[in-house]
Amino acid sequence: MDPDAVAKAFVEHYYSTFDSNRAGLATLYQDNSMLSFEGQKFQGTQSITSKLTSLPFQQCKHHITTVDCQPSGPAGGMVVFVSGNLQLAGEQHALKFSQAS
Amino acid sequence: MDPDAVAKAFVEHYYSTFDSNRAGLATLYQDNSMLSFEGQKFQGTQSITSKLTSLPFQQCKHHITTVDCQPSGPAGGMVVFVSGNLQLAGEQHALKFSQAS
């Protein structure tokens, strides 16, 4: 399968889960996963999910603008880079966001 | 050395080179390096440097807002994520940028 298509499918799944059932992100992390979020570091499914489910907003909607990917490491992994807008419920203006994974 | 300090030093070196001597970025890429730039892919020192030196602006200044890093792969590599503002000469408003490397 085309790596770009894999990356795009993963990104769509990740953010639709984020926007509809944030606790479900737990299925997308493992115990050796790491999250760096605005300068803070979290490791492991529980720590990462706890951070993401306690963000100071409830309903949100990610609008993806770009998805780029590159192969990473010898085991067929990849780095995916995403940018877009984040609309929070009740806020007039969207925030810019970007994330690499 | 602290990985965060290494990442920060690399980022400062990368963008000060970008802003002062863009052709000098060639020393920071290798022939197996890849650049994804706004949806386009470039591989190798020459291809990457050619892209970066032909961007449609001359003088610019990157102002770094955040630097995050995570270990990547078994060989001691790391992924570095940067965000900030890009001020172009003659433009009133800065652009937002982000990059992972």
Side-chain angles (χ1 to χ4, degrees), chain A:
Chain A
M1 199 174 168
D2 172 28
D4 287 300
V6 173
K8 192 150 180 277
F10 171 75
V11 165
E12 284 171 5
H13 180 59
Y14 183 93
Y15 290 106
S16 73
T17 303
F18 195 117
D19 294 347
S20 63
N21 168 30
R22 216 178 301 166
L25 291 172
T27 62
L28 299 174
Y29 290 99
Q30 298 177 308
D31 283 341
N32 61 358
S33 297
M34 284 179 279
L35 171 70
S36 301
F37 190 100
E38 297 180 349
Q40 286 183 290
K41 297 189 185 207
F42 304 89
Q43 178 147 13
T45 307
Q46 194 176 346
S47 167
I48 291 171
T49 309
S50 168
K51 172 62 181 177
L52 295 177
T53 55
S54 64
L55 293 172
F57 53 82
Q58 295 303 317
Q59 283 207 289
C60 64
K61 173 75 182 149
H62 288 81
H63 299 276
I64 306 304
T65 308
T66 68
V67 178
D68 287 295
C69 75
Q70 288 185 5
S72 171
M78 63 171 113
V79 174
V80 182
F81 183 91
V82 184
S83 69
N85 295 298
L86 172 59
Q87 184 69 52
L88 304 184
E91 297 283 339
Q92 187 178 359
H93 298 291
L95 304 167
K96 300 279 187 195
F97 82 94
S98 53
Q99 182 169 10
S101 53

Side-chain angles (χ1 to χ4, degrees), chain B residues 3 17 21 23 30 33-34 44 53 63-64 71 74 79 84 93 96 98 100:
Chain B
T17 303
N21 168 31
Q30 298 176 309
S33 297
M34 284 178 279
T53 54
H63 299 275
I64 307 303
V79 173
H93 299 290
K96 301 279 188 195
S98 53

